[in-house]
Amino acid sequence: MEAVPPRARAYVACAALGALACLLPLPVTHTSWRAVALLTTVYAGCRQFARFGFAGPFYPVLLAAAFLLPPPAAALVPLPGVLFARAGRRPEGLRRIWRAAQLALAVWAAARVHGALGGRDAVGGCDFPYVLLPAGAAVLAFCLVLTALDGGVLALAEHVPVRRAWQGMFARSPAPIAVHGLAGLMMAVLWRSPYGPVAALLVLLPMCVSGWVYAQYHRERSAHRATIRALVQAVDIKDGYTRGHSERVGQASMMIARELGMDDERVEVLRFAGILHDVGKLGVPTRLLRKDGPLTPEERRVIELHPEYGHEMVRGISFLGEARSAILHHHERLDGGGYPYGLTGGQIPESARVVAVADAFDAMTSTRSYRRARPVPAALAELERCAGSQFDPRMVTALVRALDRYGWHPAVTAQDGTPVAPTAPFRAVPGTTGPAAAPGGAEDSPVVPAAGAAADDGGPGGVPERSAGGGPGGASERSGGGRPEARR
C-alpha cells in the first residue's frame, strides 16, 4: 500500500473529518477529565508496549471509555496513543490518521449506543443483569463500525471487489471483541465502585497475560511461515522451470477448501499442503528435473519417489497436520493408477485429493519451457473429463465454482523463472470443453488425454507411464519421445 490511490486517500480524509465532527461537542461536554486523562494514558501505554512485541489490552480500555464517558470524550481516548505511535509501514502519517479516525468513530458509536440504552446509569447503579444489554449493544456497534470502515478501505486501496471486502469480516469480529467488551465492562463497574480506578486497572492484568500468550502464538506462526518459505525457495532454486508453481497450487488449494466450507484453520493447513507438495524434489537429482527429453523408466521411478522424500522431510513438523499426508499422496488416482502406493477412492486422504486437483490445474495453466499455458476453460474441461477416474469430482466442482466466482490470475513463469504477465484475466466457464474454449488459437486448444490432466510440474502429461504402451490414462505420446516427460 505504498502508493495509496486518490479515492482511498479521500476515504481516509472523510473518516478523519467524521472523527473531528465527533469531537466538536467536547468544550461543552460535562465529563470527568481526570478519567479521560487516565484512560488516554493507559491506552497510549498499551500502544507503546506493542512496540516491543507485546500485544497490549487495547480494546478493553476503549470499551471501558465508551461505558464511562460521553461519546465525544470517549472518542478522544484513542487519539494520542495512535497518532504518536509508529505505524510500521509507509505511508506512516496516513496510516496513523486512518487508524485514529477509525477507532474514534467506533468508540463514539459504542458510547452513543450505550448511553441511548441507559448504560451509564446501569453501570453506576450496578444494575445486573440489565447492564449487559447496553454493553452488548455497544460492542456490536463497535464491531459494525470497524468492519464497515475496514471493508471500505480494503475495497478502495487494494481494489478488492466490494462484495468480497466485507465477506466474512464481520462474522470473525464479535467473538474476540465481546471478550474485550466484558473486560471493559468489569473495568467500568469497578471504576464506579468504592474501589475506584486503581481496582479497575487490575482487570487489565489477565488481559496482559493473554496478550503476551497471543503475541507468542503469532511469533510461532511467523517462524512456521519462514520455514515454509525457505523450503519453497530451495525447491524453486533447484527446479527453475516451475518457479512460482508451489505458491499458485497453495492458492488454488485454499480456494477449493473454502468452497467446500472448511474452517479457516483447515484452509490454512491445505494452503501449506499446496505450497509444500513438491518439497520432495530436493531429493531428486537436478539433472532429471531439468532434462528436456523423455525420461527412461528408471528415471521415472526415481522421480516418483519425490512424494515419499517430501513426507520424510516434513514428518517432524507438527503444525502441518494433515498437510503431511497430502504431500505423500497428492499423486494418487481414484482408479488406483497413481503413486506412490496406488491407493483408490476413499483410501486417498481428502487433503491429497484437494492438492491433486489444484496441482493439475496450475500445471495446465502455466507456461513451461516446452509449451504455452493452456486457457483456464480448457484446463477445467480436462479436469471435469477426468473426474471420477483420476480426480475427486467434489474437488473439481469446487474449483470450477471458485474460479467462476473469483476468477484466476496466474503468475506464469518463463524458462528463466521471470514472471510473465497473462494476456488477460481468465474466468472459469463451467461446461466449456475442447478447442472451442481456447481463445489462444489452435496451438493452445488441444486438450490432453486423461493422464495429461495430472501434470503438475512440467511436461504435458500426468502420472508418468510405466511402459511404452501408455500410462493409466492411455497417454503414450511421451514414452516414445517427442515431447518432454512429466517432471512430477
Side-chain angles (χ1 to χ4, degrees):
M1 201 170 145
E2 292 277 343
V4 181
R7 57 181 182 176
R9 291 180 180 273
Y11 183 81
V12 172
C14 290
L17 290 174
L20 289 175
C22 294
L23 298 174
L24 287 178
L26 267 177
V28 296
T29 299
H30 299 287
T31 187
S32 170
W33 293 105
R34 177 174 171 269
V36 173
L38 183 55
L39 288 169
T40 301
T41 302
V42 171
Y43 182 73
C46 292
R47 299 285 305 189
Q48 290 302 314
F49 276 120
R51 296 177 58 185
F52 304 101
F54 175 78
F58 301 159
Y59 287 165
V61 179
L62 297 182
L63 291 168
F67 301 151
L68 291 167
L69 305 172
L76 180 64
V77 169
L79 297 185
V82 177
L83 291 175
F84 296 104
R86 294 182 60 183
R89 289 189 297 168
R90 297 180 179 179
E92 289 193 20
L94 187 64
R95 288 181 182 275
R96 282 197 295 263
I97 292 172
W98 161 247
R99 189 59 176 163
Q102 184 188 33
L103 290 176
L105 289 169
V107 175
W108 180 88
R112 188 82 176 177
V113 170
H114 188 257
L117 295 176
R120 278 189 289 279
D121 293 336
V123 168
C126 295
D127 186 7
F128 284 97
Y130 177 75
V131 71
L132 297 174
L133 177 61
V139 169
L140 184 62
F142 188 82
C143 290
L144 285 171
V145 173
L146 288 180
T147 301
L149 293 173
D150 273 335
V153 80
L154 188 64
L156 294 173
E158 305 291 344
H159 305 290
V160 176
V162 175
R163 184 167 62 89
R164 288 181 57 195
W166 284 282
Q167 189 176 27
M169 191 180 291
F170 177 74
R172 294 190 294 268
S173 300
I177 294 183
V179 175
H180 290 280
L182 287 174
L185 181 60
M186 291 173 62
M187 286 183 64
V189 170
L190 287 171
W191 194 294
R192 292 286 185 88
S193 73
Y195 300 103
V198 175
L201 295 179
L202 292 177
V203 175
L204 295 178
L205 289 179
M207 300 299 295
C208 290
V209 174
S210 65
W212 180 81
V213 172
Y214 189 69
Q216 298 305 309
Y217 168 75
H218 274 276
R219 289 194 189 96
E220 184 179 355
R221 287 180 64 87
S222 297
H224 293 168
R225 293 190 180 98
T227 301
I228 290 172
R229 280 197 302 271
L231 289 172
V232 171
Q233 287 172 358
V235 175
D236 285 347
I237 290 171
K238 184 162 188 173
D239 188 6
Y241 287 157
T242 58
R243 192 163 297 159
H245 169 69
S246 298
E247 288 83 355
R248 295 193 299 272
V249 173
Q251 178 186 351
S253 299
M254 184 171 59
M255 294 172 70
I256 294 171
R258 283 179 174 164
E259 195 66 29
L260 292 173
M262 296 181 183
D263 58 67
D264 289 345
E265 184 176 351
R266 197 172 182 206
V267 168
E268 181 76 355
V269 169
L270 283 170
R271 185 175 74 87
F272 289 156
I275 291 174
L276 292 174
H277 74 287
D278 272 343
V279 70
K281 283 183 176 179
L282 294 174
V284 176
T286 304
R287 63 178 179 81
L288 297 185
L289 297 175
R290 299 188 178 185
K291 185 176 180 181
D292 290 331
L295 299 175
T296 66
E298 291 76 16
E299 291 171 334
R300 285 198 295 272
R301 282 193 287 272
V302 171
I303 285 186
E304 287 176 4
L305 291 173
H306 82 267
E308 295 179 274
Y309 291 156
H311 183 257
E312 287 298 316
M313 290 176 185
V314 303
R315 186 163 58 177
I317 306 178
S318 59
F319 74 87
L320 288 177
E322 64 177 327
R324 290 171 291 181
S325 61
I327 293 169
L328 178 61
H329 296 296
H330 70 280
H331 284 305
E332 305 284 3
R333 294 170 51 118
L334 292 188
D335 59 12
Y339 63 90
Y341 300 130
L343 303 183
T344 62
Q347 294 177 332
I348 306 172
E350 186 179 41
S351 58
R353 285 177 268 151
V354 170
V355 173
V357 172
D359 186 17
F361 172 75
D362 182 71
M364 289 188 287
T365 55
S366 299
T367 294
R368 297 291 183 259
S369 60
Y370 39 78
R371 62 160 173 79
R372 294 173 58 188
R374 291 187 178 90
V376 167
L380 292 179
E382 180 63 17
L383 289 175
E384 289 176 330
R385 190 172 73 81
C386 298
S389 60
Q390 184 170 353
F391 304 113
D392 188 325
R394 286 180 59 239
M395 311 312 173
V396 174
T397 301
L399 179 62
V400 170
R401 289 177 179 171
L403 294 177
D404 187 47
R405 184 177 304 176
Y406 303 118
W408 180 251
H409 309 278
V412 296
T413 56
Q415 181 175 352
D416 61 356
T418 57
V420 178
T423 55
F426 295 111
R427 293 193 69 82
V429 183
T432 309
T433 59
E443 183 178 347
D444 287 335
S445 58
V447 180
V448 296
D456 66 344
D457 288 6
V463 177
E465 294 83 346
R466 269 72 169 171
S467 67
S476 60
E477 69 273 19
R478 296 187 310 284
S479 303
R483 295 198 291 178
E485 179 61 75
R487 302 294 187 264
R488 308 194 67 215

